[in-house]
Amino acid sequence: MATNNPYQNYQVNAVQTASPGELTLMLYNGCLKFILQAKKAIEENDVEARNTNLLKAQKIIQELMVTLNMEYEVAKSMMTMYDYIYRRLVEANVKNDAAILDEVEGYVTEFRDTWKQVIQINRQRQYAQGGQA
């Protein structure tokens, strides 16, 4: 699926070659991007853009919920938070409330930053064990 747009080619390649951990990080970053765009749309009184971006953020949260492995206790806690974030995104859309988006942005940023640390720790362990069979 080659296109003439180098940036689009890069994006497609980045997704296709990403590890599951990197894909999760991409989801968090995408969710944050859509939350920021929705906040801008609220400021500009652009109802359509607000709705579109919040629906995209909600879909990402749903995807994160579906991928949780509920065998682990931490996943149950994350599911509770994801459910809360999802409901707040819906509420922000209905009420046209940027303050709710500020709250949700904080939670998603915390998840993203923690996930980024986990990826870095795993990479360090991988490289520390490099060369050992």
Side-chain angles (χ1 to χ4, degrees), residues 21 24-29 32 78 82 104-121:
T24 301
L25 188 60
M26 288 178 185
L27 287 173
Y28 286 132
N29 284 329
L32 287 170
M78 290 176 74
Y82 286 157
V104 170
E105 179 186 357
Y107 291 131
V108 176
T109 299
E110 283 183 47
F111 273 119
R112 191 263 326 261
D113 292 349
T114 301
W115 195 253
K116 195 184 292 187
Q117 288 177 335
V118 168
I119 290 172
Q120 289 170 342
I121 289 167

Side-chain angles (χ1 to χ4, degrees), residues 30-42 46-62 85-102 104-105 108:
C31 189
L32 287 170
K33 178 181 94 172
F34 295 130
I35 289 170
L36 291 173
Q37 289 176 352
K39 284 194 330 189
K40 184 177 182 229
I42 288 173
D46 185 342
V47 176
E48 187 176 344
R50 178 198 75 217
N51 184 57
T52 298
N53 285 296
L54 287 177
L55 289 176
K56 288 178 182 180
Q58 289 167 24
K59 285 181 182 176
I60 289 173
I61 296 299
Q62 286 176 318
I85 290 168
Y86 181 85
R87 285 184 286 116
R88 293 295 278 169
L89 287 169
V90 171
E91 186 178 356
N93 201 1
V94 170
K95 293 183 176 178
N96 196 37
D97 190 336
I100 294 172
L101 294 181
D102 289 336
V104 170
E105 179 186 357
V108 176

